[in-house]
Amino acid sequence: QVQLVESGGGLVQAGGSLRLSCAASGSIFRINAMGWYRQAPGKQRELVADIASGGSTNYADSVEGRFTISRDNAKNTVYLQMNDLKPEDTAGYYCNANIASERFGPGMFYWGKGTLVTVSL
């Protein structure tokens, strides 16, 4: 019943910026951690950034200083502001969130279907 929908991907030139959004909807009692992952063809899916319910953040070394993750709890939305994009950032970007659907229910991990980011020279 829970759904994550990403938006904001597209084609940009190296050095440009892009802002990704991921909105959660459905049966949501509480959202714990949220994060962004990416996967390029032939490679493993990797963590880009995550953010805890209290706002603490973590970033992959490759994006530290260029990307910023944030969340709007009132909108059940997580964002990824990507600046100074590089060709190696090209990948499918996937939203992930740990969500509890009821007060005493377990938190479960959910994935969005992804949004493609392509960075050209």
Side-chain angles (χ1 to χ4, degrees), residues 1-5 22-34 76 95-102 106-113:
Q1 193 171 0
V2 172
Q3 186 178 33
L4 302 179
V5 179
C22 171
S25 62
S27 182
I28 300 171
F29 182 83
R30 180 183 66 254
I31 301 179
N32 301 310
M34 306 183 80
N76 291 332
C95 178
N96 176 266
N98 186 278
I99 297 172
S101 294
E102 57 185 46
M108 301 290 291
F109 287 100
Y110 295 87
W111 289 96
K113 295 187 182 298

Side-chain angles (χ1 to χ4, degrees), residues 10 19 22 32 50 55 69 75 84-85 89-90 101 108 111:
R19 190 194 194 204
C22 171
N32 301 310
D50 60 20
I69 188 170
K75 296 181 178 180
D84 191 24
L85 283 161
D89 295 319
T90 296
S101 294
M108 301 290 291
W111 289 96

Side-chain angles (χ1 to χ4, degrees), residues 38 47-49 59-68 89 93:
R38 67 186 182 188
L47 175 69
V48 177
Y59 297 92
D61 290 343
S62 59
V63 307
E64 185 88 51
R66 298 189 296 121
F67 291 10
T68 302
D89 295 319
Y93 283 72

